[in-house]
Amino acid sequence: MNKPLILVVEDDSSVKNLITTTLKTHEYRYLSASNGASAIMEASSHNPEIVLLDLGLPDMDGIDVIKRIRTWSNMPIIVISARSEDSDKIDALDAGADDYLTKPFSVEELLARLRVTQRRLAMMQNENSGESSVFRNGELTIDYAAGCAYLKGAELHLTPIEYKLLCLLSHNVGKVLTHTFITQKIWGSSWDNDIASLRVFMATLRKKLEAEPDSPQYIQTHIGVGYRMMKVE
Ligand code: CA
């Protein structure tokens, strides 16, 4: 099997070295770019499996790099941002990034994000190859055609909004969805009170879905950012 090719976009050479050394020792192949223009060029000419993208680049905004790549590709993009760029991180997710890492990060965090993204890629490829309209994740099954969800084979009694939320998260398994993205999809707007409602619906959905709602297995909370459905083994 081919080792996955990762494009590392980072202008800070010490961070870049940390990332590329980690990739090397964990059997990834990599390419690197230190500005936005060369990132776009490398992404288009080498078609990497995953892009690790620093948001603060010398020549252009990392968010514009995401927008450009999204005009031709859905390749997973993991954003790397400094803590001071928190609102940029949310803008980046809304622009189509899949996940994020906040500086400073550990090697373990980096590898965990890559694994989540690889599982998401594998799942997307399965979905594209199969004609099945049934989603399976751990003990959760969603029959999209029938409009029903099951946990351990027993039907979950969900309200229409809880079901919509569950479907939205499942269609994007492994990907962090921002509050704005979710409320836009569910209610068509993203006012503050929609985000408050989202929190309420998410709590009731979790009560039905999670064995332990306080340490959820399926739906992860990203405080101040949004939610993500995890791929459960
Ligand atoms: Ca930078």
Side-chain angles (χ1 to χ4, degrees), residues 17-35:
N17 287 341
L18 168 73
I19 297 174
T20 55
T21 307
T22 305
L23 294 177
K24 231 184 297 180
T25 52
H26 289 83
E27 310 247 294
Y28 290 97
R29 292 176 301 141
Y30 68 88
L31 291 162
S32 63
S34 49
N35 60 57

Side-chain angles (χ1 to χ4, degrees), residues 45-159:
S45 49
H46 297 282
N47 205 29
E49 266 84 21
I50 300 173
V51 181
L52 288 170
L53 175 70
D54 176 29
L55 284 183
L57 294 171
D59 60 334
M60 62 195 280
D61 197 322
I63 291 164
D64 292 325
V65 176
I66 299 170
K67 288 179 182 161
R68 286 284 296 280
I69 292 178
R70 283 291 171 263
T71 61
W72 85 86
S73 171
N74 279 322
M75 61 179 70
I77 300 173
I78 303 173
V79 156
I80 301 171
S81 70
R83 207 165 285 281
S84 58
E85 299 165 332
D86 255 5
S87 64
D88 294 353
K89 178 166 82 189
I90 294 171
D91 290 344
L93 291 166
D94 280 332
D98 294 72
D99 200 354
Y100 60 87
L101 267 170
T102 304
K103 286 180 193 174
F105 55 84
S106 67
V107 163
E108 287 70 29
E109 276 181 284
L110 169 64
L111 292 168
R113 291 305 202 284
L114 288 172
R115 282 194 300 269
V116 167
T117 306
Q118 283 178 283
R119 281 201 287 267
R120 167 171 166 68
L121 262 181
M123 247 193 146
M124 272 161 45
Q125 278 152 4
N126 280 340
E127 268 172 29
N128 292 343
S129 62
E131 71 302 327
S132 162
S133 69
V134 175
F135 169 86
R136 286 194 180 81
N137 185 15
E139 295 180 311
L140 169 68
T141 305
I142 307 173
D143 184 337
Y144 296 126
C148 296
Y150 305 86
L151 191 67
K152 298 182 190 172
E155 188 174 350
L156 287 170
H157 297 287
L158 302 177
T159 66

